[in-house]
Amino acid sequence: MTVLARKNELFERAQAVIPGGMYGHQSIMYLTEDFPLYFERSEGAYLWDVDGKRYIDYLCAFGVNLFGYRDPRIEAAAAAQAAKGDSMTGPSALMVTLAEELTGMITHADWAMFCKNGSDATSMAMVIARAYRGKRKILLAKGAYHGASAWNTPVMEGVTAEDRAHIVYFDYDDIESLEAAVKSVDGDVAAIYATPFRHEVLYDQFFPSLEYAQAVRRLCDEQDALLVVDEVRTAFRLSRNCNWDDLGVHPDLSTWGKTIGGGYPLSALLGSDKAREAAAKVYVTGSYWLGAVPMAAALETLKIVRTTDYLEHTFKMGDLLRNGIAEQAVRHGFELRQTGPSVMPQMLFTGDDEILSLGRGWTGEAVKRGAYLHPYHNMFLTSSHTEADIHQTLEATEDAFVALKKIAANKASA
Ligand SMILES: *Cc1c(COP(=O)(O)O)cnc(C)c1O
């Protein structure tokens, strides 16, 4: 009997009834066999797979919670609402309160609309930006992830050139490239999108210059176009406000997702008064968008955001992990680049090959030892990670470096 019996059995069944066995970011083609595929339960910083193995998780479902899985405060709020109703013919009163609270917390926001996925919010922003002045072009940074709809999915399979007819690309943090993109569309700019910092798969993360953020704002103003800041991944991870509001660069629209429902499905589009009339004109909806349970979870999430030191604690844990891994990498002779904020670390090996043998090798060895790290996607810490978790993770990564050295040595001598 092998330890991974249940995982393999499930995957075999899945291949018969689910195309490719799995799709999207958890598709088997992106992971090595060291990674678990199906999970039984989750609690705080921990995941248990279907074979009963526990992991200290640094993906937290790709970023959908700030305080760890099944936070008891959020679970209680959600359960109390679930006892009263979730999807109803219209929204609950919570929708109004939630809009009031978000607009109270986020500097540029005068109104809020709610949906389910980040992709809903980024698509809604596009429609509103076009309704604003009847212009068509949407300017996106090359390679920036804003969702998986036809206009922005990173994989072009099944997407036509016409789907992208009004999407124009420029280089992130490159004012000249952005200015050239604006010039090329001759006054037809509806919106310019920006993530607060650069956080793409396979690349080092970095913050843009303040001049760049200010240039995006200036160009939007000159063009009478809307500035959309996509906070879906970063929401409340670096700040209790919109990250560009903190810079003094106030967006017209911002998209929120992943964290705001405390693990429950909810995303939001926030906007300033400038975009209110356009937002009131468009037709946007979804069968589950008005559900009350995720909104109850979101209200509790915002309360914890406002009233606890979750953010400061999470940074402390992120720094502890980063420093520990940096020391290990140097000692074992690897050049590991840890980029971005320590609460959303990206870890990439210098000199790695195309298939990321070092990255996949090292994270695979860590996963085998109970620390779920990712070879090329940014990871996420949560306030549920404790110092003991970090120390235990560092034991796993220490052993993973030792194992990686052996793998690398064997490869070199082969
Ligand atoms: C995840 C993500 C999205 C899409 O959100 P979904 O909920 O997966 O649709 C959009 N923008 C950014 C920056 C994201 O990280």
Side-chain angles (χ1 to χ4, degrees):
M1 206 201 86
T2 90
V3 247
L4 298 177
R6 186 108 204 275
K7 165 186 163 179
N8 293 342
E9 184 227 304
L10 281 167
F11 190 62
E12 212 169 286
R13 282 167 49 198
Q15 281 172 302
V17 289
I18 296 167
M22 183 59 210
Y23 43 87
H25 59 285
Q26 285 296 89
S27 168
I28 188 76
M29 65 189 195
Y30 298 124
L31 302 166
T32 68
E33 62 192 23
D34 299 321
F35 285 79
L37 289 178
Y38 306 98
F39 297 94
E40 190 75 41
R41 68 190 182 96
S42 58
E43 190 90 53
Y46 310 130
L47 274 177
W48 285 264
D49 71 12
V50 288
D51 289 294
K53 188 170 160 60
R54 194 197 81 164
Y55 304 86
I56 303 173
D57 184 24
Y58 291 93
L59 269 294
C60 70
F62 283 78
V64 305
N65 58 62
L66 292 166
F67 322 122
Y69 293 110
R70 296 172 36 74
D71 180 276
R73 298 161 291 187
I74 290 171
E75 290 307 303
Q81 182 57 44
K84 295 194 269 181
D86 185 13
S87 285
M88 301 183 275
T89 301
S92 70
L94 299 180
M95 184 178 181
V96 181
T97 311
L98 185 57
E100 286 169 348
E101 294 209 355
L102 277 168
T103 55
M105 288 171 72
I106 308 301
T107 305
H108 71 273
D110 298 313
W111 53 263
M113 295 163 82
F114 300 100
C115 34
K116 288 288 110 175
N117 275 289
S119 292
D120 300 333
T122 56
S123 294
M124 204 146 87
M126 175 177 74
V127 173
I128 290 170
R130 285 175 170 161
Y132 173 65
R133 290 291 182 259
K135 298 191 214 174
R136 297 177 299 174
K137 305 294 180 185
I138 304 295
L139 275 51
L140 303 181
K142 254 174 241 159
Y145 189 75
H146 294 293
S149 308
W151 66 276
N152 60 14
T153 178
V155 177
M156 287 302 283
E157 204 62 50
V159 176
T160 66
E162 287 81 0
D163 288 320
R164 302 282 169 99
H166 298 296
I167 307 294
V168 179
Y169 299 96
F170 60 91
D171 295 320
Y172 188 83
D173 198 29
D174 183 334
I175 298 174
E176 262 177 50
S177 167
L178 176 59
E179 282 175 339
V182 168
K183 214 167 156 205
S184 75
V185 303
D186 195 22
D188 200 13
V189 186
I192 304 176
Y193 279 59
T195 52
F197 69 94
R198 189 72 169 160
H199 50 53
E200 305 315 327
V201 291
L202 298 165
Y203 290 97
D204 290 345
Q205 304 187 113
F206 62 91
F207 284 87
S209 69
L210 178 60
E211 292 70 35
Y212 171 74
Q214 290 167 338
V216 181
R217 181 68 270 175
R218 172 177 55 78
L219 286 163
C220 283
D221 291 339
E222 286 171 11
Q223 297 291 318
D224 198 12
L226 300 184
L227 166 56
V228 183
V229 170
D230 183 354
E231 286 272 9
V232 171
R233 193 171 313 182
T234 42
F236 300 124
R237 291 196 178 278
L238 310 183
S239 165
R240 294 173 175 85
N241 197 354
C242 171
N243 287 292
W244 278 24
D245 275 324
D246 284 344
L247 300 178
V249 175
H250 307 293
D252 304 303
L253 298 173
S254 58
T255 54
W256 301 72
K258 294 193 169 115
T259 62
I260 67 164
Y264 286 82
L266 190 74
S267 58
L269 177 69
L270 305 184
S272 67
D273 277 331
K274 190 171 161 185
R276 186 191 291 264
E277 201 186 314
K281 280 195 296 203
V282 301
Y283 185 77
V284 286
T285 188
S287 298
Y288 294 103
W289 284 14
L290 306 180
V293 169
M295 293 191 190
L299 281 168
E300 189 62 26
T301 299
L302 295 182
K303 186 171 151 199
I304 300 169
V305 163
R306 285 192 308 263
T307 60
T308 73
D309 69 346
Y310 81 98
L311 190 59
E312 294 69 23
H313 172 81
T314 310
F315 266 101
K316 214 170 119 191
M317 294 304 107
D319 293 347
L320 201 59
L321 181 68
R322 171 164 290 184
N323 294 338
I325 287 178
E327 183 276 320
Q328 292 174 346
V330 169
R331 185 158 39 76
H332 290 288
F334 292 103
E335 198 179 312
L336 181 67
R337 305 189 306 281
Q338 301 191 66
T339 58
S342 69
V343 294
M344 288 178 58
Q346 174 84 303
M347 302 185 194
L348 297 168
F349 285 84
T350 299
D352 211 346
D353 56 18
E354 287 251 301
I355 57 166
L356 302 186
S357 297
L358 293 175
R360 286 180 205 275
W362 179 63
T363 55
E365 293 295 329
V367 162
K368 274 197 246 173
R369 292 163 173 82
Y372 197 119
L373 303 178
H374 202 283
Y376 59 83
H377 190 289
N378 77 265
M379 293 171 266
F380 301 93
L381 280 94
T382 68
S383 65
S384 67
H385 286 104
T386 63
E387 274 187 43
D389 292 327
I390 305 295
H391 290 307
Q392 217 177 328
T393 302
L394 289 172
E395 283 172 25
T397 54
E398 170 69 23
D399 293 349
F401 275 121
V402 173
L404 184 64
K405 238 170 28 186
K406 282 194 195 134
I407 297 168
N410 287 342
K411 239 182 112 179
S413 70

